Amino acid sequence: MKNTKVYVDFITEKLKKLLSIDSPTGYTKDAVAWLKAEYEAMGYAPVITTKGGLLVQLAKGCEGNGGVLVETHTDTLGGMVAEVKGNGRLRLTALGGMNPNNAEAENCIVITRDGKRYEGCFQMNNPSIHVNGSYDQQDRTYDNMEVVLDEMVFSKEETKALGIETGDIVCFETRTRITEKGYIKSRFLDDKLSVAILLGYAKYLKEENVTPSRPVYQHITVYEEVGHGGSASVPEGVTDILSVDMGCVGDGLECKEHQVSICVKDSGGPYSYDFTGELIAAAKANGIDYAADVYPHYGSDVEATLRGGADARHALIGAGVYASHGYERSHVDGVKNTLELLAAYLDVTAADVPPEAPYLRVLACNERGRKLLKTIKKTGSAPVLTKSADVRALSEEAQKLFALTARAADQYVLAYPELRAARGSSAWTEGPVIV
């Protein structure tokens, strides 16, 4: 991938801006409007869906090639006013999986129906240690916690006079920071980091004049945190759907914040074995730092898409993110590796085909052919492959070409009339047929 650092820098700048726009589930219109303008500035024609998400086609591809839909989400965790209490403070209900333990003592903004914004802080009831002798024993739950408004209000009537009522949105401060060592720290990197990466990939296609051979779409969803973000808006002709969401980092998992994570299974079950295998092969062929992991407590947009009736292969990747659904941390290297994997997998163009064959691959032979192969191996100018293990001895460019042809073979078998015969990864697992 060319000029990677330029696009990583672009991603981090756009990430800071996107994180500054509040967009908890159910209140995402401002973030989507900003994203729409960003895509339009790059020359794309994004469309806001009826549901409120953003759908954009990045590449038309070649006729007859199955399309790829890349999904991510700009909705985040947050809160909603469930009650204006008698003391003028606010009891909340969670939007998404906002854990009150992680939200304690965080500054927040209450947004009313008429657009007014009021500052406050989410505190435990009776939070002063010098007053509350049971501070350590008190459970951190939404029933035991409240928003203390930075307003002179001491009763329900005074707070309601400000225009605050049940159903108002509560947005928590992100505390975004990018350190000199490249660490990215903020609330809601899940999944605004991935949104910024998709923006970076869209810019890369335009700036480098890359035209993928397959139709490529991006769908920025707005209800992922409550389970139905990706359940609609799949363009016609899409055969592969890739969710780009935060990669899990924690005990029992391989991934670190510096890597791109490839999820093989989560709470919804295994991802497409063949699609996932192609992503792993692309990472290996391009020297991309990755980890394959099972996520024990996780669900993604693409699973909602399949539950919505989509007939497609599905996979999940994302930059490693530590302390998910809390004060999260990632790294610019994780951004780089995720971007490079997207480019390695999606950027199949005519320029990828070399003028001369760097190797010969044997698909079938008879006894006479086997004798000829011995001679060809000794006198031929190109290496002869009779098993996939031979690929490791090829040049880096030749290995990339083999991975590319393996992916093409996996696409081809999808059209087999007999589904049982449509086995993926055959280029990596099957040798020549002896006749």
Side-chain angles (χ1 to χ4, degrees), residues 69 98 154 173 184-185 192 254 262 274 335:
L69 176 62
M98 190 78 188
F154 304 99
E173 191 170 313
I184 305 168
K185 301 191 292 184
K192 290 189 172 182
E254 296 287 337
I262 302 175
D274 296 332
V335 172

mmCIF file of all heavy atoms in Angstrom, residues 69 98 154 173 184-185 192 254 262 274 335:
data_model
loop_
_atom_site.group_PDB
_atom_site.id
_atom_site.type_symbol
_atom_site.label_atom_id
_atom_site.label_comp_id
_atom_site.label_asym_id
_atom_site.label_seq_id
_atom_site.Cartn_x
_atom_site.Cartn_y
_atom_site.Cartn_z
ATOM 1 N N LEU A 69 -19.497 -5.552 0.738
ATOM 2 C CA LEU A 69 -20.052 -4.515 1.604
ATOM 3 C C LEU A 69 -19.224 -4.474 2.883
ATOM 4 O O LEU A 69 -19.083 -5.485 3.574
ATOM 5 C CB LEU A 69 -21.513 -4.814 1.934
ATOM 6 C CG LEU A 69 -22.207 -3.857 2.913
ATOM 7 C CD1 LEU A 69 -22.263 -2.442 2.356
ATOM 8 C CD2 LEU A 69 -23.607 -4.353 3.260
ATOM 9 N N MET A 98 -23.635 0.774 28.075
ATOM 10 C CA MET A 98 -22.906 1.715 28.926
ATOM 11 C C MET A 98 -22.953 1.223 30.364
ATOM 12 O O MET A 98 -24.001 1.227 31.019
ATOM 13 C CB MET A 98 -23.532 3.101 28.817
ATOM 14 C CG MET A 98 -22.716 4.205 29.477
ATOM 15 S SD MET A 98 -21.334 4.692 28.438
ATOM 16 C CE MET A 98 -20.445 5.779 29.554
ATOM 17 N N PHE A 154 -32.889 22.232 42.563
ATOM 18 C CA PHE A 154 -32.960 21.382 43.745
ATOM 19 C C PHE A 154 -34.283 20.634 43.829
ATOM 20 O O PHE A 154 -34.569 19.988 44.839
ATOM 21 C CB PHE A 154 -32.759 22.230 45.011
ATOM 22 C CG PHE A 154 -31.479 23.004 44.998
ATOM 23 C CD1 PHE A 154 -31.476 24.339 44.634
ATOM 24 C CD2 PHE A 154 -30.270 22.388 45.302
ATOM 25 C CE1 PHE A 154 -30.286 25.067 44.603
ATOM 26 C CE2 PHE A 154 -29.080 23.108 45.276
ATOM 27 C CZ PHE A 154 -29.093 24.444 44.913
ATOM 28 N N GLU A 173 -18.509 12.511 28.161
ATOM 29 C CA GLU A 173 -17.276 13.104 27.652
ATOM 30 C C GLU A 173 -16.332 12.012 27.163
ATOM 31 O O GLU A 173 -16.187 10.966 27.806
ATOM 32 C CB GLU A 173 -16.615 13.941 28.752
ATOM 33 C CG GLU A 173 -15.482 14.819 28.276
ATOM 34 C CD GLU A 173 -15.034 15.804 29.339
ATOM 35 O OE1 GLU A 173 -15.906 16.456 29.958
ATOM 36 O OE2 GLU A 173 -13.819 15.910 29.559
ATOM 37 N N ILE A 184 -3.812 5.805 21.200
ATOM 38 C CA ILE A 184 -5.056 6.542 21.013
ATOM 39 C C ILE A 184 -5.964 6.195 22.178
ATOM 40 O O ILE A 184 -6.357 5.042 22.343
ATOM 41 C CB ILE A 184 -5.730 6.169 19.686
ATOM 42 C CG1 ILE A 184 -4.757 6.381 18.517
ATOM 43 C CG2 ILE A 184 -7.001 6.973 19.469
ATOM 44 C CD1 ILE A 184 -5.233 5.763 17.215
ATOM 45 N N LYS A 185 -6.299 7.193 23.013
ATOM 46 C CA LYS A 185 -7.100 6.940 24.211
ATOM 47 C C LYS A 185 -8.370 7.784 24.148
ATOM 48 O O LYS A 185 -8.307 8.989 23.934
ATOM 49 C CB LYS A 185 -6.298 7.279 25.473
ATOM 50 C CG LYS A 185 -5.004 6.485 25.602
ATOM 51 C CD LYS A 185 -4.372 6.628 26.967
ATOM 52 C CE LYS A 185 -3.856 8.019 27.225
ATOM 53 N NZ LYS A 185 -3.152 8.113 28.532
ATOM 54 N N LYS A 192 -15.915 4.405 16.426
ATOM 55 C CA LYS A 192 -15.558 5.558 15.601
ATOM 56 C C LYS A 192 -14.152 5.432 15.034
ATOM 57 O O LYS A 192 -13.842 6.038 14.005
ATOM 58 C CB LYS A 192 -15.732 6.845 16.397
ATOM 59 C CG LYS A 192 -17.199 7.167 16.667
ATOM 60 C CD LYS A 192 -17.420 8.543 17.254
ATOM 61 C CE LYS A 192 -18.912 8.858 17.319
ATOM 62 N NZ LYS A 192 -19.175 10.217 17.836
ATOM 63 N N GLU A 254 -5.013 -13.225 21.736
ATOM 64 C CA GLU A 254 -3.694 -12.941 21.189
ATOM 65 C C GLU A 254 -3.492 -11.461 20.867
ATOM 66 O O GLU A 254 -2.389 -10.951 20.913
ATOM 67 C CB GLU A 254 -3.473 -13.756 19.907
ATOM 68 C CG GLU A 254 -3.462 -15.271 20.123
ATOM 69 C CD GLU A 254 -2.197 -15.745 20.800
ATOM 70 O OE1 GLU A 254 -1.178 -15.031 20.724
ATOM 71 O OE2 GLU A 254 -2.210 -16.831 21.408
ATOM 72 N N ILE A 262 -8.427 -10.426 13.565
ATOM 73 C CA ILE A 262 -9.330 -11.149 12.674
ATOM 74 C C ILE A 262 -10.128 -12.106 13.553
ATOM 75 O O ILE A 262 -9.579 -13.042 14.124
ATOM 76 C CB ILE A 262 -8.569 -11.912 11.581
ATOM 77 C CG1 ILE A 262 -7.711 -10.944 10.756
ATOM 78 C CG2 ILE A 262 -9.537 -12.678 10.678
ATOM 79 C CD1 ILE A 262 -6.834 -11.614 9.722
ATOM 80 N N ASP A 274 -14.060 -19.712 5.017
ATOM 81 C CA ASP A 274 -13.304 -19.394 3.808
ATOM 82 C C ASP A 274 -12.959 -17.913 3.730
ATOM 83 O O ASP A 274 -11.824 -17.542 3.407
ATOM 84 C CB ASP A 274 -14.098 -19.811 2.565
ATOM 85 C CG ASP A 274 -14.308 -21.314 2.504
ATOM 86 O OD1 ASP A 274 -13.459 -22.043 3.053
ATOM 87 O OD2 ASP A 274 -15.316 -21.757 1.926
ATOM 88 N N VAL A 335 -4.223 0.890 13.631
ATOM 89 C CA VAL A 335 -4.892 1.578 12.520
ATOM 90 C C VAL A 335 -4.213 1.227 11.209
ATOM 91 O O VAL A 335 -4.867 0.872 10.216
ATOM 92 C CB VAL A 335 -4.860 3.108 12.750
ATOM 93 C CG1 VAL A 335 -5.371 3.853 11.521
ATOM 94 C CG2 VAL A 335 -5.679 3.472 13.975
#
